[in-house]
Amino acid sequence: MAPLKKFIAASSVCALAALTLAGCGSGGHQVIASNEACSNCHSSEKPQFDVARPTAGEIVECAPGTQVNVATGGNTAVLCSVIFTSEDGGSFVPVMASNLGSADTSFMAQEGVWAVVADEGDASHGVVLVVNPGTAADGAEVNIQL
């Protein structure tokens, strides 16, 4: 394969990898308010899926009641519920549930699928937090760095 074709192929693979956490666009989708819907920004309603085992980016699993420690790195951390916009759970829209602030913090995990993200205004990055009763021992700690 010619060097230019190899470069284009490699660039395409890198671009796809960069979209792993994306809800829309080239980075993670911006955090939206709980009273917003995809139709506020998109001309037609985006599809939404219920996903039990997401594939988006970094995934952390724990049991309800687990202490989750968040190292913000100076970013504004936000705990979000998620709207999955792909059937395999590879892309989602983070919906603000709680602003965790910009200082290192912790919270107790509640059952469900969440995202702990650094809110960057028009984008976000972070991890998906899957909280299941059958996962890990209660009282354990989970550390997340943003």
Side-chain angles (χ1 to χ4, degrees):
M1 189 185 292
L4 180 59
K5 287 183 181 179
K6 287 181 182 179
F7 175 76
I8 292 171
S11 296
S12 297
V13 170
C14 289
L16 284 174
L19 290 174
T20 303
L21 188 59
C24 300
S26 62
H29 194 284
Q30 78 264 19
V31 176
I32 64 171
S34 60
N35 62 349
E36 288 184 282
C38 293
S39 60
N40 288 356
C41 298
H42 299 276
S43 58
S44 61
E45 188 65 32
K46 291 188 74 62
Q48 298 178 6
F49 301 93
D50 290 327
V51 176
R53 304 274 313 154
T55 60
E58 183 182 351
I59 299 170
V60 175
E61 295 185 56
C62 65
T66 300
Q67 181 173 322
V68 179
N69 302 312
V70 181
T72 65
N75 296 305
T76 299
V78 183
L79 176 64
C80 298
S81 59
V82 296
I83 298 172
F84 287 104
T85 56
S86 67
E87 196 167 9
D88 69 353
S91 60
F92 65 89
V93 175
V95 180
M96 165 96 65
S98 178
N99 185 333
L100 301 173
S102 58
D104 292 357
T105 188
S106 64
F107 63 92
M108 299 305 273
Q110 295 182 9
E111 188 172 348
V113 179
W114 305 90
V116 179
V117 301
D119 186 357
E120 300 169 333
D122 60 353
S124 66
H125 73 274
V127 302
V128 175
L129 180 65
V130 179
V131 184
N132 283 322
T135 307
D138 288 337
E141 290 189 17
V142 171
N143 296 307
I144 297 174
Q145 284 195 301
L146 295 180

